[in-house]
Amino acid sequence: MSRHRHNEKVNDALSERAKTASIQLSAIVESSDDAIISKNLNGIISSWNHGAENVFGYAEQEAIGRPMQMLIPPERADEEPEILARISRGERVDHFETVRIRKDGKPVEVSVTISPLRDSSGKIIGASKIARDITERRRMEGVLREREEQLRLYAEYSPAAIAMFDRDMKYLVVSRRWMEVYHLGDQSIVGLSHYKVFPEIPQRWKDVHQRCLKGAIEKCDEEAFLRADGITDWIRWEVRPWRQGDGAIGGIIIFSEDITERKAARDKINQLNIQLEQRVVERTAELEAANKELEAFSYSVSHDLRAPLRAVNGFAEIVLEEYSHQLPEECRRYLERIRNGGQRMGDLIDDLLAFSRVNRKSVNRQIVDSIRLVQNALEELNPQREGREIEIKVGDLPPCHGDPALLKQVWVNLLSNAIKYSRGRKPAVIEIGSNHINCENVYFVKDNGDGFDMQYADKLFTVFQRLHNADEFEGTGVGLAIVQRIVHRHGGRVWAQAEVGHGAAFYFTIGGQNKS
Amino acid sequence: MKESGEVEILLVEDNMDDMEMTLRSLRKANLANRIQVVRDGAEALEFIFCRGAFAGRKFENPPKLILLDLNLPKVGGKEVLKLMKGDARTKTIPVVMLTSSKEEKDLVESYDLGVNSYVVKPVNFESFAAAVQELGMYWLLLNQPSKS
């Protein structure tokens, strides 16, 4: 093979390789999203890739041969000569961020890199320009700035003391509340070390920070801080790490809240509760003591008041029994009155005690058979009914929920009154029954006796209040007071309806659950 | 009376008026001769347990009935009742409690302590007879041949 041929062959091979490289290069240029443009030193566009079409809107045939100037907004017209001057000097322009005009007239933000183009002899013949559309990047940067600003405002104006630190415990963000709580004034502490701002900070806290910088979350709902002025502040705090985009711990966030006032209020409430309980205990003890005293008093009245009364009654009785025949008629009558007076006083004492017992006795509620209760009451009143003509009508008597012993007393007292005040009638008619009114059983005892004037009805249930004098009808005026007390202690009501000469009716409810 | 042999009734009563009325009632039933009266609980215990002033007495000859007032000086009626009902030598002696009222509390407590009956003062013949009847001692005590 001749040398020439050989050279020819080499040249062929080289040109083949150059051709291949050129094809590869143009494929890369064509497929790039960035605009890749070349121009001569006069600023006339000489090549225009697909990316350039996308970024600026001009097709290849529309752009080639036209001046680069067409992409530059009028206010930036002086940029191009300067760029061309730099290119002519062989310099590069790297990542120059500017604005260009699209074919449709809309501005587009671009980052431009321009390099000189040389011929094979090294002479600068033009420039290649790579322009990247950075509109999206700019938008993202805007969003990011906005987010950052939101976060800063959020932290700064948060009503809690919050501070964010980097790994070196330098302040990144701090809330105004933090500045207030720690008396830091208006100074700017962002960028300063926490330990410079608080040189006296104890090691214990530094340890907490270190542990949290390693990933721990620590908190305390109530911790005492002794302030420099000697006052104790109560703080609720929490320290937790924050992480960077790559997941590594970027620093910590300290949250703290002054709960001194809240704690003081809560402690006060607790203290008041304790005091209240104490007071309840004391009052209960006082009441119990008072109750005991009252019981002792009643007991004493019951026994001691009766002793002299017994002597009065007893000896009057004995004189009447033994010496009646020796006494003048008048004397006997007086003795009789002494004995009757004593007897009445005895009755008053008995009734008063019975009344006080009603108050002391506890109410033991149970299901009570009202029919049996009324039967028992009537049996108990047999002596009072003796020799009388009484028609007793017993109607519907549903069971109720109450204390049987106390309720029997109610029936006895009401029936006893009915029998007593109807003794002028022949026959006396007593009606016992109940009505179901408004989901409630209303029990009643009616008689056809003397009745009473309704204008005094409010006095009926008062102790020792009587609407008849003792000559007409005997009694102490305690019976209805006992009835009312028992009914009230059951949560019920009692009332009366009457007319002088036309009988009386007494009604009562038991309250609580009526079983009907 | 201490020397007159067997005492049938022990009356424990501090109130002179009550004592006189009770004795009268018993006298009406021809029982007054065999009655021992003591004025307080301490004395009652001496009699019941045959000691002190009554050291000469014998447990083998107990009274047939004790009338015991509730409220007594020194040792109360309930205490006397408790002590004698708790002692094998004396617990079988029937006791009738004399009280001023039918205070429920007293009744319950006395019955708990083993009282045999209850009489509300003043002790007239009827209530006394009723109490004795309740004890089944009617004929034993009330049909005494009158001492002449």
Side-chain angles (χ1 to χ4, degrees):
Chain A
M1 197 184 282
S2 70
R3 190 176 175 82
H4 174 75
R5 267 193 66 111
H6 174 80
N7 281 348
E8 221 169 60
K9 265 200 167 166
V10 170
N11 278 346
D12 279 356
L14 279 173
S15 105
E16 194 60 31
R17 277 167 65 182
K19 216 166 142 194
T20 309
S22 171
I23 289 167
Q24 281 175 349
L25 188 67
S26 65
I28 291 168
V29 167
E30 229 10 69
S31 66
S32 169
D33 278 342
D34 292 342
I36 301 174
I37 306 164
S38 59
K39 58 181 178 184
N40 63 23
L41 286 175
N42 298 322
I44 301 299
I45 296 166
S46 54
S47 79
W48 187 265
N49 76 339
H50 192 67
E53 199 177 317
N54 284 338
V55 174
F56 298 112
Y58 295 94
E60 190 181 1
Q61 60 271 24
E62 288 177 301
I64 290 178
R66 295 188 62 187
M68 201 63 152
Q69 206 73 42
M70 73 175 182
L71 298 174
I72 298 171
E75 68 273 14
R76 292 177 186 259
D78 48 346
E79 278 180 11
E80 181 68 358
E82 197 188 318
I83 290 167
L84 287 171
R86 285 177 68 179
I87 295 297
S88 305
R89 290 198 298 272
E91 289 169 21
R92 253 175 80 105
V93 177
D94 257 334
H95 303 302
F96 172 61
E97 289 185 3
T98 182
V99 178
R100 292 293 177 256
I101 300 291
R102 284 167 54 89
K103 185 188 174 190
D104 58 14
K106 283 184 183 154
V108 53
E109 286 184 76
V110 287
S111 166
V112 190
T113 296
I114 304 164
S115 326
L117 276 178
R118 296 166 198 271
D119 63 8
S120 47
S121 63
K123 185 175 162 233
I124 293 167
I125 54 163
S128 79
K129 169 174 169 176
I130 301 173
R132 173 167 291 179
D133 184 346
I134 58 166
T135 312
E136 183 61 15
R137 202 181 84 199
R138 275 288 153 81
R139 200 182 64 78
M140 287 306 292
E141 279 170 3
V143 168
L144 212 61
R145 261 200 308 279
E146 202 178 296
R147 290 275 157 82
E148 247 171 40
E149 177 68 2
Q150 281 172 355
L151 183 71
R152 193 186 60 77
L153 285 172
Y154 197 73
E156 198 175 327
Y157 293 98
S158 157
I162 295 175
M164 190 170 173
F165 301 88
D166 66 11
R167 295 197 59 82
D168 300 322
M169 287 306 290
K170 283 188 181 130
Y171 282 91
L172 294 175
V173 179
V174 60
S175 75
R176 296 193 164 208
R177 187 93 183 91
W178 179 285
M179 302 297 286
E180 270 170 39
V181 167
Y182 296 107
H183 311 291
L184 295 168
D186 291 333
Q187 61 174 312
S188 169
I189 58 170
V190 171
L192 294 181
S193 162
H194 188 43
Y195 307 135
K196 260 213 184 90
V197 177
F198 296 103
E200 74 282 3
I201 205 158
Q203 185 59 41
R204 195 178 77 73
W205 275 106
K206 293 181 181 170
D207 294 343
V208 170
H209 300 154
Q210 284 312 308
R211 284 196 298 273
C212 292
L213 280 168
K214 290 193 180 89
I217 295 172
E218 300 201 5
K219 56 183 167 184
C220 178
D221 285 336
E222 205 175 284
E223 183 157 338
F225 280 83
L226 187 64
R227 293 194 333 205
D229 57 8
I231 291 168
T232 301
D233 275 347
W234 287 88
I235 304 288
R236 178 166 88 87
W237 59 265
E238 185 170 331
V239 181
R240 53 170 63 232
W242 62 269
R243 287 174 195 275
Q244 296 163 335
D246 59 3
I249 289 170
I252 58 170
I253 297 173
I254 299 180
F255 162 89
S256 81
E257 195 184 4
D258 186 344
I259 55 161
T260 309
E261 272 175 40
R262 206 192 307 166
K263 185 181 156 56
R266 203 174 50 220
D267 287 352
K268 182 88 186 163
I269 288 169
N270 286 343
Q271 196 190 338
L272 284 174
N273 274 342
I274 291 165
Q275 280 176 4
L276 197 67
E277 263 165 49
Q278 180 99 35
R279 221 172 295 165
V280 168
V281 168
E282 279 167 18
R283 285 288 147 80
T284 309
E286 275 170 29
L287 262 174
E288 272 167 13
N291 231 351
K292 280 232 173 73
E293 220 168 88
L294 198 69
E295 232 168 281
F297 175 75
S298 303
Y299 192 83
S300 162
V301 166
S302 163
H303 289 85
D304 301 343
L305 217 56
R306 231 182 266 268
L309 193 60
R310 260 196 318 273
V312 173
N313 287 351
F315 289 110
E317 177 96 35
I318 289 166
V319 171
L320 277 169
E321 233 174 72
E322 306 275 322
Y323 308 103
S324 193
H325 57 283
Q326 296 172 29
L327 297 172
E329 171 63 24
E330 203 176 16
C331 181
R332 279 207 301 274
R333 220 175 57 240
Y334 290 155
L335 271 171
E336 199 76 51
R337 292 179 83 151
I338 290 172
R339 200 184 57 176
N340 287 348
Q343 192 75 48
R344 180 159 174 76
M345 189 169 166
D347 290 345
L348 283 166
I349 291 171
D350 280 347
D351 286 356
L352 202 56
L353 283 169
F355 183 63
S356 89
R357 261 202 299 276
V358 166
N359 293 324
R360 279 181 284 146
K361 195 179 177 299
S362 56
V363 177
N364 299 313
R365 279 185 186 262
Q366 48 187 276
I367 305 294
V368 179
D369 180 352
S370 302
I371 299 168
R372 248 188 54 197
L373 222 52
V374 168
Q375 278 168 355
N376 289 346
L378 285 169
E379 267 167 41
E380 195 173 312
L381 293 167
N382 272 338
Q384 202 189 331
R385 286 155 68 189
E386 218 165 281
R388 292 273 308 278
E389 193 182 323
I390 305 172
E391 192 183 320
I392 293 177
K393 299 175 180 170
V394 181
D396 187 28
L397 285 170
C400 64
H401 195 240
D403 184 303
L406 288 173
L407 290 180
K408 186 186 158 197
Q409 192 63 53
V410 169
W411 286 110
V412 166
N413 289 10
L414 291 179
L415 288 168
S416 164
N417 276 356
I419 294 166
K420 179 162 69 179
Y421 293 103
S422 64
R423 71 174 158 221
R425 301 289 180 275
K426 230 175 175 188
V429 179
I430 294 172
E431 211 182 319
I432 306 159
S434 75
N435 299 313
H436 195 69
I437 302 167
N438 293 335
C439 308
E440 208 175 21
N441 289 321
V442 179
Y443 298 88
F444 62 79
V445 174
K446 294 176 184 170
D447 65 64
N448 64 340
D450 274 23
F452 56 85
D453 189 338
M454 279 301 282
Q455 81 175 87
Y456 305 117
D458 58 321
K459 289 189 172 165
L460 272 177
F461 299 101
T462 311
V463 192
F464 294 140
Q465 283 285 349
R466 302 206 64 218
L467 300 187
H468 299 88
N469 61 49
D471 297 344
E472 278 181 290
F473 292 102
E474 71 291 344
T476 53
V478 177
L480 286 178
I482 289 176
V483 165
Q484 189 190 48
R485 197 57 69 95
I486 293 173
V487 167
H488 283 181
R489 290 203 60 196
H490 277 81
R493 290 166 292 128
V494 59
W495 65 97
Q497 189 65 48
E499 201 183 321
V500 175
H502 290 90
F506 285 86
Y507 302 88
F508 68 95
T509 66
I510 290 307
Q513 322 139 255
N514 273 320
K515 305 280 172 186
S516 48
Chain B
M1 256 180 228
K2 280 170 207 172
E3 61 286 342
S4 73
E6 218 173 298
V7 169
E8 301 227 285
I9 297 175
L10 172 69
L11 172 63
V12 191
E13 177 61 83
D14 65 310
N15 184 309
M16 289 296 285
D17 294 334
D18 287 348
M19 188 214 294
E20 202 173 330
M21 284 185 279
T22 307
L23 284 175
R24 178 176 173 275
S25 201
L26 295 173
R27 200 158 54 231
K28 292 240 153 188
N30 290 328
L31 286 166
N33 288 347
R34 309 276 202 90
I35 293 174
Q36 172 68 50
V37 181
V38 292
R39 303 294 306 279
D40 60 53
E43 219 182 326
L45 288 173
E46 284 188 353
F47 181 90
I48 293 164
F49 289 102
C50 313
R51 59 186 193 221
F54 299 96
R57 277 197 66 248
K58 297 220 159 38
F59 280 102
E60 296 79 57
N61 298 320
K64 288 199 169 63
L65 181 68
I66 297 174
L67 292 171
L68 183 63
D69 187 21
L70 200 65
N71 294 318
L72 288 168
K74 296 183 189 171
V75 182
K78 281 181 212 161
E79 184 65 18
V80 172
L81 184 65
K82 195 170 148 188
L83 289 169
M84 62 164 290
K85 287 292 179 185
D87 193 305
R89 297 167 298 179
T90 53
K91 71 177 179 190
T92 54
I93 307 171
V95 178
V96 172
M97 208 64 148
L98 302 175
T99 73
S100 295
S101 77
K102 281 201 167 168
E103 184 82 13
E104 199 182 347
K105 199 182 89 184
D106 287 342
L107 257 166
V108 171
E109 279 180 24
S110 300
Y111 276 117
D112 277 350
L113 290 171
V115 81
N116 301 81
S117 188
Y118 231 85
V119 170
V120 178
K121 293 185 201 175
V123 187
N124 57 31
F125 177 71
E126 284 107 78
S127 65
F128 178 72
V132 170
Q133 211 163 8
E134 208 173 296
L135 296 172
M137 295 173 73
Y138 187 81
W139 299 110
L140 181 70
L141 279 174
L142 298 186
N143 284 351
Q144 293 286 323
S146 59
K147 300 260 165 179
S148 50

